[in-house]
Amino acid sequence: MSDARLIAVQLIASLLSKQGSLNALLPGALQQVSPRDTALLQQLVYGCTREFFRLDALAQQLLKKPFESRDYDLYAVLLLGLYQLRELRIPAHAVIHESVELPKRLNKPWAQGLINAVLRRYQRESVELDQTLSQADDTYHWNHPEWMRTKLQHNWPDHWQHLLLQNDIRAPMTLRVNKRLLTRDDFMELLLEAGIEAQPGQMSEQAVILEQPLDVRDIPGFSEGLCSVQDEAAQLSGSLLAAQPGERILDACAAPGGKLCHLLENLAGQADIQALELNPVRMPRIQENLQRLKLDPYCTLLQGDASQQDWWDGITYDRILVDAPCSGSGVIRRNPDIKLLRENEDLLKLASLQLAILDNLWQLLKPGGTLLYATCSVFPQENERIIERFCKQHPDAEHQALALDWGLERPYGQQFFPQLHSHDGFFYAKLWKSDASGSSEA
């Protein structure tokens, strides 16, 4: 088994080189360390990426010249050392010793003296450095890339500070109770008997928010399908889509399958439900969730591109859920590497893809049918502006207000911002397709 710190260095170096995300890289990395080191590895990589822009600003102050790209592994050693000195209860001498040993294991022993000198200088000057950078460097103060901070400030002048602060706070672990098998009250009794503290969600009647995150193996009944892990805002998709027995329903962009399984828990065996996923690598994750919840007989899985029609059988749908590809800016607190990996230019590409998917799937919707558009983004460029443009381009598309007690009602759709001990950032918009007679009644 490999050392957790060495694996963490390799993961951070991959992120710096933009060679994958934590979601893609971490599962394999966890298999390389012993079970007792998995928690440390996760803490190191998530903590370092969450604090990256502060650590990066500190490192630039402490270094005479930046590391070149071929030495991103050494830069990762330095960042991880700074993170441990600042945030973890590990004795400083142990952090420095472990950090100084890592370059040797990376076949770059020439850097040991540099790592030692920089970390010891930080020890001596940490208070002064923090005060100076907090006052002089907005990127350090807000711990976000400049483009993201500027865009959020422009888009949400009354909310941007809240957004940035919430992004750096760990999200709660939220469960969705499988109401096919038991009630939320019954499930909370199981948690209480197991000594697990939790609170019922406020927005979803199936949501349970744990006081402390747990390994799913320690959650009563998880392996038997009594519950699933799903943010409370994401759980609203089931009630907002309002699918009915006897309907033909499509869940587009379905992986990892949370919204699909929620839909099936409500309507298994009572509706024709299909799920579409572009990436074949993500299909097994959907199948695993369906099998754990014993829902796989009630769903047809399709592999294909939601912006194309070569997978479609020609029969239109009563309802379509479009969980569109997006920046993930509403779930940064769960995926802090988004701050490193996303660029401003990505939003334009994503907006083009989102419109292409909507344009295509709208053709597959029956007159009188409903399309629910969802993203885990807080950028209007991916949300309300997409829906506004789409409605202007499609006279038969009628935007319907959601009339929710939560979130921020917008001219098009409902925007949710991440909340402490509650839901993530999210967006929903509901569109109704006028029938052939031109009637506007839903």
Side-chain angles (χ1 to χ4, degrees), residues 15 34 54 59 110 130 133 149 176 187 209 217 220 261 267 275 287 322 359 392 401:
L15 295 179
S34 64
R54 289 197 182 104
W110 54 267
D130 183 67
L133 289 171
R149 186 184 75 250
R176 183 190 74 246
F187 181 72
I209 302 173
R217 292 171 293 187
C261 290
L267 286 172
Q287 293 169 330
V322 182
D359 284 337
K392 288 179 178 178

Side-chain angles (χ1 to χ4, degrees), residues 71-251:
D71 292 321
Y72 275 162
D73 51 356
L74 294 176
Y75 195 42
V77 170
L78 179 57
L79 295 174
L80 282 165
L82 290 170
Y83 170 72
Q84 293 174 84
L85 289 174
R86 288 168 59 85
E87 304 292 340
L88 301 189
R89 295 179 179 179
I90 302 174
H93 66 86
V95 171
I96 294 174
H97 172 76
E98 292 283 352
S99 299
V100 169
E101 287 297 306
L102 284 170
K104 188 191 303 181
R105 301 179 65 185
L106 295 167
N107 296 316
K108 296 180 180 180
W110 54 267
Q112 288 182 283
L114 173 62
I115 298 297
N116 182 63
V118 172
L119 292 180
R120 291 193 181 281
R121 182 185 166 196
Y122 173 74
Q123 267 193 296
R124 296 192 302 270
E125 303 176 17
S126 59
V127 174
E128 179 184 344
L129 282 166
D130 183 67
Q131 291 176 345
T132 300
L133 289 171
S134 291
Q135 296 171 4
D137 188 336
D138 283 343
T139 299
Y140 177 88
H141 179 77
W142 292 108
N143 193 36
H144 280 70
E146 182 180 2
W147 76 265
M148 188 177 290
R149 186 184 75 250
T150 302
K151 187 172 287 293
L152 289 174
Q153 190 171 2
H154 174 73
N155 289 335
W156 304 110
D158 297 328
H159 304 282
W160 68 276
Q161 295 183 353
H162 167 87
L163 283 164
L164 297 181
L165 291 172
Q166 288 298 318
N167 282 349
D168 286 343
I169 299 173
R170 287 184 65 181
M173 186 173 186
T174 303
L175 307 177
R176 183 190 74 246
V177 178
N178 185 352
K179 71 176 187 180
R180 292 182 72 222
L181 302 180
L182 77 172
T183 67
R184 179 167 67 177
D185 287 344
D186 288 340
F187 181 72
M188 292 195 68
E189 282 293 328
L190 292 177
L191 294 180
L192 186 62
E193 292 171 5
I196 299 170
E197 295 185 29
Q199 298 293 328
Q202 300 300 308
M203 300 191 303
S204 166
E205 63 180 14
Q206 293 165 257
V208 172
I209 302 173
L210 302 184
E211 292 293 324
Q212 296 294 332
L214 290 174
D215 188 307
V216 292
R217 292 171 293 187
D218 297 326
I219 299 174
F222 182 86
S223 60
E224 291 79 25
L226 298 190
C227 66
S228 299
V229 178
Q230 187 182 38
D231 179 72
E232 189 172 14
Q235 293 184 35
L236 293 178
S237 63
S239 59
L240 292 177
L241 188 64
Q244 302 298 315
E247 292 184 330
R248 192 167 203 250
I249 304 157
L250 174 68
D251 179 359

